[in-house]
Amino acid sequence: MSSATQQLDAIAVRIAALGGGSGSVTALSDEALGSTELLGALPPRYGEVLLNLLDRLESSALFSEESCSFSQKDLLDNLQVWVDKARGQLVS
């Protein structure tokens, strides 16, 4: 298994943990931003989208669910879609 795949798996685990009510946005963000081999193996657009989603997720973590324009659950769902698409890119 490549390091890029391992990094993608680690991000997926953090997304699942956040979705399950444990873990932290900071840990997910740090994991994702530190995944240099993964980001290098994907088209540049993937990095841009990931940074955008993480930025919105970090913003949503600063506010209660009601006062934020971003739903944390929706953002986690979008991050999972990103993971699934990234996995497809790594396989192809």
Side-chain angles (χ1 to χ4, degrees):
M1 185 185 321
S2 74
S3 294
T5 304
Q6 290 171 328
Q7 290 176 343
L8 186 61
D9 290 343
I11 292 169
V13 166
R14 298 231 186 245
I15 292 169
L18 265 174
S22 63
S24 76
V25 171
T26 303
L28 169 60
S29 189
D30 291 347
E31 184 86 49
L33 296 175
S35 299
T36 53
E37 287 191 40
L38 171 62
L39 294 173
L42 294 169
R45 179 85 181 117
Y46 278 77
E48 295 168 26
V49 170
L50 180 61
L51 290 176
N52 186 312
L53 287 170
L54 289 173
D55 190 44
R56 289 190 285 164
L57 187 63
E58 289 171 355
S59 295
S60 77
L62 298 174
F63 302 99
S64 69
E65 191 71 36
E66 298 76 36
S67 65
C68 186
S69 60
F70 307 123
S71 159
Q72 192 164 8
K73 183 194 177 313
D74 288 347
L75 288 169
L76 290 173
D77 290 346
N78 287 336
L79 279 165
Q80 186 57 54
V81 169
W82 183 92
V83 165
D84 294 341
K85 289 187 178 199
R87 194 173 308 283
Q89 281 288 320
L90 292 177
V91 171
S92 61

Coordinates of all heavy atoms in Angstrom, one line a residue:
M1 N 0.9 -1.2 0.0 CA 0.0 0.0 0.0 C 0.9 1.2 0.0 O 1.9 1.3 0.7 CB -0.9 0.0 1.2 CG -1.9 1.1 1.2 SD -2.9 1.3 2.7 CE -3.4 -0.4 3.2
S2 N 0.6 2.2 -0.8 CA 1.4 3.4 -0.9 C 1.2 4.3 0.3 O 0.2 4.3 0.9 CB 1.1 4.1 -2.2 OG -0.1 4.8 -2.1
S3 N 2.1 5.2 0.5 CA 2.0 6.2 1.5 C 0.8 7.1 1.3 O 0.1 7.5 2.2 CB 3.3 7.1 1.6 OG 4.3 6.3 2.1
A4 N 0.6 7.4 0.0 CA -0.6 8.3 -0.4 C -1.9 7.6 0.1 O -2.8 8.3 0.6 CB -0.6 8.6 -1.9
T5 N -2.0 6.3 -0.2 CA -3.2 5.6 0.2 C -3.3 5.5 1.8 O -4.4 5.7 2.3 CB -3.2 4.2 -0.3 OG1 -3.0 4.2 -1.7 CG2 -4.4 3.4 0.0
Q6 N -2.2 5.3 2.4 CA -2.2 5.3 3.9 C -2.7 6.7 4.4 O -3.4 6.8 5.4 CB -0.8 5.0 4.5 CG -0.5 3.5 4.2 CD 1.0 3.2 4.5 OE1 1.8 4.0 4.4 NE2 1.2 2.0 5.0
Q7 N -2.2 7.8 3.8 CA -2.5 9.1 4.3 C -4.0 9.3 4.0 O -4.7 9.9 4.9 CB -1.7 10.2 3.6 CG -0.2 10.1 4.0 CD 0.6 11.1 3.3 OE1 0.3 11.6 2.2 NE2 1.8 11.4 3.9
L8 N -4.5 8.9 2.9 CA -6.0 9.0 2.6 C -6.8 8.2 3.6 O -7.8 8.7 4.1 CB -6.2 8.5 1.2 CG -7.7 8.7 0.7 CD1 -8.0 10.2 0.7 CD2 -7.8 8.1 -0.7
D9 N -6.3 7.0 4.0 CA -7.0 6.2 5.0 C -7.1 6.9 6.3 O -8.1 6.9 7.0 CB -6.4 4.8 5.1 CG -6.6 3.9 3.9 OD1 -7.5 4.2 3.1 OD2 -5.9 2.9 3.8
A10 N -6.0 7.6 6.7 CA -5.9 8.3 8.0 C -6.9 9.4 8.0 O -7.5 9.7 9.0 CB -4.5 8.8 8.2
I11 N -7.0 10.1 6.9 CA -8.0 11.2 6.8 C -9.4 10.7 6.9 O -10.2 11.2 7.6 CB -7.8 12.0 5.5 CG1 -6.5 12.7 5.5 CG2 -9.0 13.0 5.2 CD1 -6.1 13.3 4.1
A12 N -9.7 9.6 6.2 CA -11.0 9.0 6.3 C -11.4 8.6 7.7 O -12.5 8.7 8.2 CB -11.1 7.8 5.4
V13 N -10.4 8.0 8.5 CA -10.6 7.7 9.9 C -11.0 8.9 10.7 O -11.9 8.8 11.5 CB -9.4 6.9 10.4 CG1 -9.4 6.8 11.9 CG2 -9.2 5.6 9.8
R14 N -10.3 10.0 10.5 CA -10.6 11.2 11.2 C -11.9 11.8 10.9 O -12.6 12.3 11.8 CB -9.5 12.3 11.0 CG -8.1 11.8 11.4 CD -7.5 12.8 12.3 NE -6.1 12.4 12.6 CZ -5.7 12.2 13.8 NH1 -6.5 12.2 14.8 NH2 -4.4 11.9 14.0
I15 N -12.3 11.7 9.6 CA -13.7 12.2 9.2 C -14.7 11.3 9.9 O -15.7 11.8 10.4 CB -13.8 12.1 7.7 CG1 -12.9 13.1 7.0 CG2 -15.3 12.3 7.3 CD1 -12.8 12.9 5.5
A16 N -14.5 10.0 9.9 CA -15.5 9.1 10.6 C -15.6 9.4 12.1 O -16.7 9.4 12.6 CB -15.1 7.6 10.3
A17 N -14.4 9.6 12.7 CA -14.4 9.9 14.1 C -15.2 11.2 14.4 O -16.0 11.2 15.3 CB -13.0 10.1 14.6
L18 N -15.0 12.2 13.6 CA -15.7 13.5 13.8 C -17.2 13.3 13.6 O -18.0 13.8 14.3 CB -15.2 14.6 12.8 CG -14.1 15.5 13.3 CD1 -13.7 16.4 12.2 CD2 -14.7 16.3 14.5
G19 N -17.6 12.5 12.6 CA -19.0 12.2 12.3 C -19.6 11.4 13.4 O -20.8 11.6 13.7
G20 N -18.8 10.7 14.1 CA -19.3 9.9 15.3 C -19.3 10.6 16.6 O -19.6 10.0 17.6
G21 N -18.8 11.9 16.5 CA -18.9 12.7 17.8 C -17.6 12.7 18.5 O -17.5 13.3 19.6
S22 N -16.5 12.0 18.0 CA -15.2 12.1 18.7 C -14.2 12.7 17.7 O -14.5 13.0 16.6 CB -14.8 10.7 19.1 OG -14.6 9.9 18.0
G23 N -13.0 12.9 18.2 CA -12.0 13.5 17.3 C -12.1 15.0 17.3 O -13.1 15.5 17.9
S24 N -11.2 15.6 16.6 CA -11.3 17.1 16.5 C -11.0 17.6 15.1 O -10.4 16.9 14.3 CB -10.2 17.7 17.5 OG -8.9 17.6 16.9
V25 N -11.6 18.7 14.8 CA -11.4 19.4 13.5 C -9.9 19.7 13.3 O -9.4 19.5 12.2 CB -12.3 20.7 13.4 CG1 -11.9 21.4 12.2 CG2 -13.8 20.3 13.5
T26 N -9.3 20.1 14.4 CA -7.8 20.4 14.3 C -7.0 19.2 13.9 O -6.1 19.3 13.1 CB -7.3 21.0 15.6 OG1 -8.1 22.2 16.0 CG2 -5.9 21.4 15.5
A27 N -7.3 18.1 14.5 CA -6.6 16.8 14.2 C -6.8 16.4 12.8 O -5.9 16.0 12.1 CB -7.0 15.7 15.2
L28 N -8.1 16.6 12.3 CA -8.4 16.2 10.9 C -7.6 17.2 10.0 O -7.0 16.8 9.0 CB -9.9 16.4 10.6 CG -10.3 16.3 9.2 CD1 -9.9 15.0 8.5 CD2 -11.8 16.5 9.0
S29 N -7.7 18.5 10.3 CA -7.0 19.5 9.4 C -5.5 19.2 9.4 O -4.9 19.2 8.3 CB -7.3 20.9 10.0 OG -6.9 21.8 9.1
D30 N -4.9 19.0 10.6 CA -3.5 18.7 10.6 C -3.1 17.5 9.8 O -2.1 17.5 9.1 CB -3.0 18.6 12.1 CG -3.0 19.9 12.9 OD1 -3.2 20.9 12.3 OD2 -2.9 19.8 14.1
E31 N -3.9 16.4 10.0 CA -3.7 15.2 9.2 C -3.7 15.4 7.7 O -2.8 15.0 7.0 CB -4.7 14.2 9.6 CG -4.5 12.8 9.0 CD -3.6 11.9 9.8 OE1 -3.7 11.8 11.0 OE2 -2.7 11.4 9.2
A32 N -4.7 16.2 7.3 CA -4.9 16.4 5.9 C -3.8 17.3 5.3 O -3.2 17.0 4.3 CB -6.3 17.0 5.6
L33 N -3.5 18.3 6.0 CA -2.5 19.3 5.5 C -1.1 18.6 5.5 O -0.2 19.0 4.8 CB -2.5 20.6 6.4 CG -3.8 21.4 6.3 CD1 -3.7 22.6 7.2 CD2 -4.0 21.8 4.8
G34 N -0.9 17.7 6.4 CA 0.4 17.0 6.5 C 0.5 15.8 5.5 O 1.6 15.2 5.4
S35 N -0.5 15.6 4.7 CA -0.5 14.5 3.8 C 0.1 14.9 2.5 O -0.6 14.8 1.4 CB -2.0 14.0 3.6 OG -2.5 13.5 4.8
T36 N 1.4 15.2 2.5 CA 2.0 15.8 1.3 C 2.1 14.7 0.2 O 2.0 15.1 -1.0 CB 3.4 16.3 1.7 OG1 4.1 15.3 2.4 CG2 3.3 17.5 2.6
E37 N 2.4 13.5 0.5 CA 2.5 12.5 -0.6 C 1.1 12.3 -1.2 O 1.1 12.2 -2.5 CB 3.0 11.1 0.0 CG 4.5 11.2 0.3 CD 5.1 9.9 0.6 OE1 4.7 8.9 -0.1 OE2 5.9 9.8 1.5
L38 N 0.1 12.3 -0.4 CA -1.3 12.2 -1.0 C -1.6 13.3 -1.9 O -2.0 13.2 -3.1 CB -2.3 12.1 0.1 CG -3.8 12.2 -0.3 CD1 -4.2 11.0 -1.2 CD2 -4.7 12.2 0.9
L39 N -1.4 14.5 -1.4 CA -1.7 15.7 -2.2 C -0.8 15.8 -3.5 O -1.3 16.3 -4.5 CB -1.5 17.0 -1.4 CG -2.6 17.1 -0.2 CD1 -2.3 18.3 0.7 CD2 -4.0 17.1 -0.7
G40 N 0.4 15.3 -3.4 CA 1.3 15.3 -4.5 C 0.9 14.3 -5.6 O 1.2 14.4 -6.8
A41 N 0.2 13.2 -5.1 CA -0.2 12.2 -6.1 C -1.6 12.5 -6.7 O -1.9 11.8 -7.7 CB -0.4 10.9 -5.3
L42 N -2.3 13.5 -6.3 CA -3.6 13.9 -6.8 C -3.4 15.2 -7.7 O -2.5 15.9 -7.5 CB -4.5 14.2 -5.7 CG -4.9 13.1 -4.8 CD1 -5.7 13.6 -3.6 CD2 -5.8 12.0 -5.5
P43 N -4.4 15.3 -8.6 CA -4.4 16.6 -9.4 C -4.4 17.8 -8.5 O -5.1 17.7 -7.4 CB -5.6 16.5 -10.3 CG -5.9 15.0 -10.3 CD -5.4 14.4 -9.0
P44 N -3.8 18.9 -8.9 CA -3.8 20.1 -8.0 C -5.2 20.5 -7.5 O -5.3 21.0 -6.4 CB -3.2 21.2 -8.9 CG -2.4 20.4 -9.9 CD -3.1 19.1 -10.1
R45 N -6.2 20.4 -8.3 CA -7.6 20.8 -7.9 C -8.0 20.1 -6.6 O -8.7 20.7 -5.8 CB -8.5 20.4 -9.1 CG -10.0 20.8 -8.8 CD -10.2 22.3 -9.1 NE -11.6 22.6 -8.8 CZ -11.9 23.5 -7.9 NH1 -11.0 24.1 -7.2 NH2 -13.2 23.7 -7.6
Y46 N -7.6 18.9 -6.4 CA -7.9 18.2 -5.2 C -7.4 18.9 -3.9 O -8.1 19.0 -2.9 CB -7.4 16.7 -5.2 CG -8.3 15.8 -6.0 CD1 -8.3 15.8 -7.4 CD2 -9.2 15.0 -5.3 CE1 -9.1 15.0 -8.1 CE2 -10.0 14.1 -6.1 CZ -10.0 14.1 -7.4 OH -10.8 13.3 -8.1
G47 N -6.2 19.4 -4.0 CA -5.7 20.2 -2.9 C -6.5 21.4 -2.6 O -6.7 21.8 -1.4
E48 N -6.9 22.1 -3.7 CA -7.6 23.4 -3.5 C -9.0 23.1 -2.9 O -9.4 23.8 -1.9 CB -7.9 24.0 -4.9 CG -6.6 24.5 -5.6 CD -6.9 24.9 -7.0 OE1 -8.1 25.2 -7.4 OE2 -6.0 24.8 -7.8
V49 N -9.7 22.0 -3.3 CA -11.0 21.7 -2.8 C -10.8 21.3 -1.3 O -11.6 21.7 -0.4 CB -11.6 20.6 -3.6 CG1 -12.9 20.0 -2.9 CG2 -12.0 21.1 -5.0
L50 N -9.8 20.5 -1.0 CA -9.6 20.0 0.4 C -9.3 21.2 1.3 O -10.0 21.3 2.4 CB -8.4 19.1 0.4 CG -8.1 18.5 1.8 CD1 -9.2 17.7 2.4 CD2 -6.8 17.7 1.8
L51 N -8.5 22.2 0.9 CA -8.2 23.3 1.7 C -9.5 24.1 1.9 O -9.8 24.6 3.0 CB -7.2 24.2 1.1 CG -5.8 23.6 1.1 CD1 -4.8 24.6 0.3 CD2 -5.3 23.4 2.5
N52 N -10.3 24.3 0.9 CA -11.6 25.0 1.0 C -12.5 24.3 2.0 O -13.1 25.0 2.9 CB -12.2 25.1 -0.4 CG -13.5 25.9 -0.4 OD1 -14.4 25.8 0.4 ND2 -13.6 26.8 -1.4
L53 N -12.7 23.0 1.9 CA -13.5 22.3 2.8 C -13.0 22.4 4.3 O -13.8 22.6 5.2 CB -13.7 20.8 2.4 CG -14.5 20.5 1.2 CD1 -14.3 19.1 0.7 CD2 -16.0 20.9 1.4
L54 N -11.7 22.2 4.4 CA -11.1 22.3 5.8 C -11.3 23.7 6.4 O -11.6 23.8 7.6 CB -9.6 21.9 5.8 CG -9.3 20.5 5.5 CD1 -7.8 20.3 5.3 CD2 -9.9 19.6 6.6
D55 N -11.2 24.7 5.6 CA -11.3 26.1 6.0 C -12.8 26.3 6.5 O -13.0 26.8 7.6 CB -11.0 27.0 4.9 CG -10.9 28.5 5.4 OD1 -10.3 28.7 6.4 OD2 -11.5 29.4 4.7
R56 N -13.7 25.8 5.8 CA -15.1 25.9 6.2 C -15.4 25.1 7.4 O -16.2 25.5 8.3 CB -16.1 25.6 5.0 CG -16.0 26.6 3.9 CD -17.1 26.4 2.9 NE -16.8 25.3 2.1 CZ -17.6 24.7 1.3 NH1 -18.9 25.1 1.3 NH2 -17.2 23.7 0.5
L57 N -14.8 23.9 7.5 CA -15.0 23.0 8.7 C -14.4 23.7 9.9 O -15.1 23.7 11.0 CB -14.4 21.7 8.4 CG -14.6 20.6 9.5 CD1 -16.1 20.3 9.5 CD2 -13.8 19.3 9.2
E58 N -13.3 24.3 9.8 CA -12.7 25.0 11.0 C -13.5 26.2 11.4 O -13.7 26.4 12.6 CB -11.2 25.4 10.6 CG -10.3 24.3 10.5 CD -8.9 24.7 10.0 OE1 -8.7 25.8 9.6 OE2 -8.0 23.8 10.0
S59 N -14.1 26.9 10.4 CA -15.0 28.0 10.7 C -16.2 27.5 11.4 O -16.7 28.1 12.4 CB -15.4 28.7 9.5 OG -14.3 29.3 8.9
S60 N -16.8 26.4 11.0 CA -18.0 25.8 11.6 C -17.7 25.4 13.0 O -18.6 25.4 13.9 CB -18.6 24.7 10.8 OG -17.8 23.5 11.0
A61 N -16.5 25.0 13.3 CA -16.2 24.5 14.7 C -16.1 25.6 15.7 O -16.3 25.4 16.9 CB -14.8 23.8 14.6
L62 N -16.0 26.9 15.2 CA -15.9 28.0 16.0 C -17.3 28.5 16.5 O -17.4 29.2 17.5 CB -15.3 29.2 15.3 CG -13.8 29.0 14.9 CD1 -13.3 30.2 14.1 CD2 -12.9 28.7 16.1
F63 N -18.3 28.0 15.9 CA -19.7 28.5 16.2 C -20.6 27.3 16.5 O -20.3 26.2 16.1 CB -20.3 29.2 15.0 CG -19.5 30.4 14.5 CD1 -18.7 30.3 13.4 CD2 -19.6 31.6 15.2 CE1 -17.9 31.3 13.0 CE2 -18.8 32.7 14.8 CZ -18.0 32.6 13.7
S64 N -21.7 27.6 17.2 CA -22.6 26.5 17.4 C -23.3 26.2 16.1 O -23.3 27.0 15.2 CB -23.7 27.0 18.5 OG -24.5 28.0 17.9
E65 N -23.8 25.0 16.0 CA -24.4 24.5 14.7 C -25.4 25.5 14.1 O -25.5 25.8 13.0 CB -25.1 23.2 14.9 CG -25.5 22.4 13.7 CD -24.3 21.9 12.9 OE1 -23.3 21.5 13.5 OE2 -24.4 21.9 11.7
E66 N -26.2 26.2 15.0 CA -27.3 27.0 14.6 C -26.8 28.3 14.0 O -27.4 28.9 13.1 CB -28.3 27.3 15.7 CG -29.0 26.1 16.3 CD -28.1 25.3 17.2 OE1 -27.3 25.8 18.0 OE2 -28.3 24.0 17.2
S67 N -25.7 28.8 14.6 CA -25.3 30.2 14.2 C -24.3 30.2 13.0 O -23.9 31.2 12.6 CB -24.6 30.9 15.4 OG -23.4 30.2 15.7
C68 N -24.0 29.0 12.5 CA -23.0 28.9 11.4 C -23.7 28.6 10.1 O -24.7 27.9 10.1 CB -22.0 27.8 11.7 SG -20.7 27.8 10.5
S69 N -23.2 29.3 9.1 CA -23.9 29.0 7.7 C -23.4 27.7 7.2 O -24.0 27.3 6.2 CB -23.5 30.2 6.8 OG -22.1 30.3 6.6
F70 N -22.4 27.1 7.7 CA -22.0 25.8 7.2 C -22.4 24.7 8.2 O -22.2 24.8 9.4 CB -20.5 25.7 7.2 CG -19.8 26.8 6.4 CD1 -18.9 27.6 6.9 CD2 -20.2 27.0 5.0 CE1 -18.3 28.6 6.2 CE2 -19.6 28.0 4.3 CZ -18.6 28.8 4.9
S71 N -23.1 23.7 7.7 CA -23.4 22.5 8.6 C -22.2 21.6 8.6 O -21.7 21.2 7.6 CB -24.6 21.8 7.9 OG -24.6 20.5 8.4
Q72 N -21.8 21.3 9.9 CA -20.6 20.5 10.0 C -20.9 19.1 9.4 O -20.0 18.5 8.8 CB -20.2 20.4 11.5 CG -18.9 19.7 11.7 CD -18.3 20.0 13.1 OE1 -18.9 20.5 14.0 NE2 -17.0 19.6 13.3
K73 N -22.1 18.6 9.6 CA -22.4 17.3 9.0 C -22.3 17.3 7.5 O -21.7 16.4 6.9 CB -23.8 16.8 9.5 CG -24.1 15.4 8.9 CD -25.6 15.1 9.0 CE -25.9 13.7 8.4 NZ -25.4 13.5 7.1
D74 N -22.8 18.4 6.9 CA -22.7 18.5 5.4 C -21.3 18.6 5.0 O -20.9 18.0 4.0 CB -23.5 19.7 4.9 CG -25.0 19.5 5.0 OD1 -25.4 18.4 5.2 OD2 -25.7 20.5 4.9
L75 N -20.4 19.3 5.7 CA -19.0 19.4 5.4 C -18.3 18.1 5.5 O -17.5 17.7 4.7 CB -18.4 20.5 6.3 CG -18.8 21.9 5.9 CD1 -18.3 22.9 7.0 CD2 -18.2 22.3 4.6
L76 N -18.6 17.3 6.6 CA -18.0 16.0 6.7 C -18.5 15.1 5.6 O -17.7 14.3 5.1 CB -18.4 15.4 8.1 CG -17.7 16.1 9.3 CD1 -18.3 15.5 10.6 CD2 -16.2 16.0 9.3
D77 N -19.7 15.2 5.2 CA -20.2 14.4 4.1 C -19.4 14.8 2.8 O -19.0 13.9 2.0 CB -21.7 14.6 3.8 CG -22.6 14.0 4.9 OD1 -22.1 13.2 5.7 OD2 -23.8 14.4 4.9
N78 N -19.2 16.1 2.6 CA -18.5 16.6 1.4 C -17.0 16.1 1.5 O -16.4 15.7 0.5 CB -18.5 18.1 1.3 CG -19.8 18.6 0.8 OD1 -20.6 17.9 0.2 ND2 -20.2 19.8 1.2
L79 N -16.4 16.1 2.7 CA -15.1 15.6 2.8 C -15.0 14.1 2.5 O -14.0 13.6 1.9 CB -14.5 15.8 4.2 CG -14.0 17.2 4.5 CD1 -13.9 17.5 6.0 CD2 -12.7 17.4 3.8
Q80 N -16.0 13.3 2.9 CA -16.1 11.9 2.6 C -16.2 11.7 1.1 O -15.5 10.8 0.5 CB -17.3 11.2 3.3 CG -17.3 9.7 3.1 CD -16.0 9.0 3.6 OE1 -15.5 9.2 4.7 NE2 -15.3 8.3 2.7
V81 N -17.0 12.5 0.4 CA -17.0 12.5 -1.1 C -15.6 12.7 -1.7 O -15.2 12.1 -2.6 CB -18.1 13.4 -1.6 CG1 -18.0 13.6 -3.1 CG2 -19.5 13.0 -1.2
W82 N -15.0 13.7 -1.1 CA -13.6 14.1 -1.6 C -12.7 12.8 -1.4 O -11.9 12.5 -2.3 CB -13.1 15.3 -0.8 CG -11.7 15.7 -1.2 CD1 -11.4 16.7 -2.1 CD2 -10.4 15.2 -0.8 NE1 -10.1 16.8 -2.3 CE2 -9.4 15.9 -1.5 CE3 -10.0 14.2 0.1 CZ2 -8.1 15.7 -1.3 CZ3 -8.7 14.0 0.3 CH2 -7.7 14.7 -0.4
V83 N -12.8 12.2 -0.2 CA -12.0 11.0 0.0 C -12.3 9.9 -1.0 O -11.4 9.3 -1.6 CB -12.2 10.4 1.4 CG1 -11.6 9.0 1.6 CG2 -11.5 11.4 2.5
D84 N -13.5 9.7 -1.3 CA -13.9 8.6 -2.2 C -13.4 9.0 -3.7 O -12.9 8.1 -4.4 CB -15.5 8.5 -2.3 CG -16.0 8.0 -1.0 OD1 -15.3 7.4 -0.2 OD2 -17.2 8.2 -0.8
K85 N -13.5 10.2 -4.1 CA -13.0 10.6 -5.4 C -11.5 10.5 -5.4 O -10.9 10.1 -6.5 CB -13.5 12.0 -5.7 CG -15.0 12.1 -6.0 CD -15.5 13.4 -6.5 CE -16.9 13.3 -6.8 NZ -17.4 14.3 -7.7
A86 N -10.8 11.0 -4.4 CA -9.4 10.9 -4.3 C -8.9 9.4 -4.4 O -8.0 9.1 -5.1 CB -8.9 11.5 -3.0
R87 N -9.6 8.5 -3.7 CA -9.3 7.1 -3.8 C -9.4 6.6 -5.2 O -8.6 5.9 -5.7 CB -10.2 6.3 -2.9 CG -9.7 4.9 -2.6 CD -10.5 4.2 -1.6 NE -10.8 4.8 -0.3 CZ -9.8 4.9 0.7 NH1 -8.7 4.4 0.5 NH2 -10.1 5.6 1.8
G88 N -10.4 7.1 -5.9 CA -10.6 6.7 -7.3 C -9.5 7.2 -8.2 O -9.0 6.5 -9.1
Q89 N -9.0 8.4 -7.9 CA -7.8 9.0 -8.6 C -6.6 8.2 -8.4 O -5.8 7.9 -9.3 CB -7.6 10.4 -8.2 CG -8.5 11.4 -8.8 CD -8.2 11.6 -10.3 OE1 -7.1 11.7 -10.7 NE2 -9.3 11.7 -11.1
L90 N -6.4 7.7 -7.1 CA -5.2 7.0 -6.8 C -5.2 5.6 -7.5 O -4.1 5.1 -7.8 CB -5.0 6.8 -5.3 CG -4.7 8.1 -4.5 CD1 -4.7 7.8 -3.0 CD2 -3.4 8.7 -4.9
V91 N -6.3 5.0 -7.6 CA -6.5 3.7 -8.2 C -6.2 3.7 -9.7 O -5.6 2.9 -10.3 CB -7.8 3.1 -7.9 CG1 -8.1 1.8 -8.7 CG2 -7.9 2.8 -6.4
S92 N -6.8 4.8 -10.3 CA -6.7 4.9 -11.8 C -5.3 5.2 -12.3 O -4.4 5.7 -11.6 CB -7.7 5.9 -12.3 OG -7.5 7.1 -11.8

